[in-house]
Structures are given as structure tokens and as C-alpha cells.
Amino acid sequence: MRGGRRLLCLSGLLALLAAGCASKPEPEPGPPDIDRVLVRKAARTLELHNDRGMYRRYRVSLGGQPRGHKVQEGDERTPEGDYVLDWRNPNSAFHKSIHISYPNALDRTVARSLGVSPGGMIMIHGLPNWLTSPRLAEEYRRHDWTDGCIAVGNEEMDEIWALVADGTPITILP
């Protein structure tokens, strides 16, 4: 009888352990589906949004003349309005870059009426690739230094690169 109880207890314990091993673990949450990027020029922030609200916020550097909408090539302004993040360059002169669809049709019409080129190649990007000094990198992060692009730190750019898909809308506010 004693051997039978031990066998019964042992088989019960094995069944319990097997059941625990067979259960599926909870899936780890994947990256959020970022469906919108919002830039607030006056606050110097870039926000990633999804259906639950703001997911992340980053400090940005803008063009050397950040106030006002970009009108022409060389004005060092960051555009304002609604655009799309439409393609990316992993081999840019900066630590990765994602293109903003500036100029749109209205931007081209305004520039044409003024007899100027609207410019282009406005990107979200990291720091210049040649920049290796942490002290100098920190200085860059404190100032508006681009020609109209939106710059973040390299680690932040890696995160944005991984979270934001091509085709994501971006709104740039004054």
C-alpha cells in the first residue's frame, strides 16, 4: 500500500509539473505601433504617438533660424505643417536619417510665386558621423545647428528608427 501511495503522489506531482510546463507564457509586449509623429518647434520636442497617446518624447535641435515656416532653400528654417516620413537612409552623413516629405504642393507653389527654390532633403537625423567627442556632442545637443532638419542624439535616433515605419505622418507645429 505504501508503495502505491508514493507512486500515486509521484504521478500526481509529475502531472502537475507537466501541466505547468505545457502552459504558454504570457507574450512579451512588442514595440508599439507608432501612428503619428508630432514636433513642437517652440518646445524643441519630437513626440511619438500611438492609439493610446504619447509613447515617447525627445529633445530636438532645429535649423539655425527656427522661427517661421521654411520658404526657400538655405533659409535654415524647419518646415511647419503636415508631411509624411517617406524613406530612410542608413548611410547618411549623420547617424541615420529619415526623410520628411517637404516640400509639399503648397510649399512648391509658394516658393514658385516668390521666384525661389523651396529646398528639400529635410530629415530627422542623429549627430554628424564625424563627431566623436562626447563633450562636443553635448554642445550640439544644446543648440539649433541644422540647415532645417530635426536632429536628436544617436541613441534616440536608433530608437526612432526602430519604432517609426515609412509612411508615418508627421506634424510640425510652430
Side-chain angles (χ1 to χ4, degrees), residues 20 31 44-45 54 68 105 115 118 150 153 158 160:
R44 301 298 190 277
T45 60
M54 185 179 61
I150 299 165
D158 287 340
I160 293 166

Side-chain angles (χ1 to χ4, degrees), residues 127-140:
L127 296 171
N129 290 332
W130 59 264
L131 186 60
T132 58
S133 162
R135 192 180 116 273
L136 188 54
E138 191 54 40
E139 283 300 311
Y140 265 71

Side-chain angles (χ1 to χ4, degrees), residues 42-103:
R44 301 298 190 277
T45 60
L46 180 149
E47 300 171 0
L48 303 183
H49 289 257
N50 61 23
D51 60 353
R52 293 176 301 279
M54 185 179 61
Y55 176 73
R56 287 272 195 281
R57 179 182 289 144
Y58 308 91
R59 183 179 184 318
V60 299
S61 298
L62 302 172
Q65 299 295 323
R67 288 191 182 177
H69 177 61
K70 184 167 195 61
V71 175
Q72 70 180 53
E73 185 172 17
D75 65 8
E76 294 188 346
R77 289 192 176 130
T78 302
E80 297 170 357
D82 294 317
Y83 300 94
V84 173
L85 299 171
D86 54 1
W87 56 269
R88 56 190 63 220
N89 182 359
N91 301 311
S92 134
F94 303 90
H95 182 75
K96 299 177 182 170
S97 59
I98 302 175
H99 185 258
I100 298 169
S101 64
Y102 173 87

Side-chain angles (χ1 to χ4, degrees), residues 4-17:
R5 273 191 182 156
R6 279 190 187 148
L7 187 57
L8 186 58
C9 286
L10 186 57
S11 64
L13 181 61
L14 287 174
L16 188 59
L17 287 174

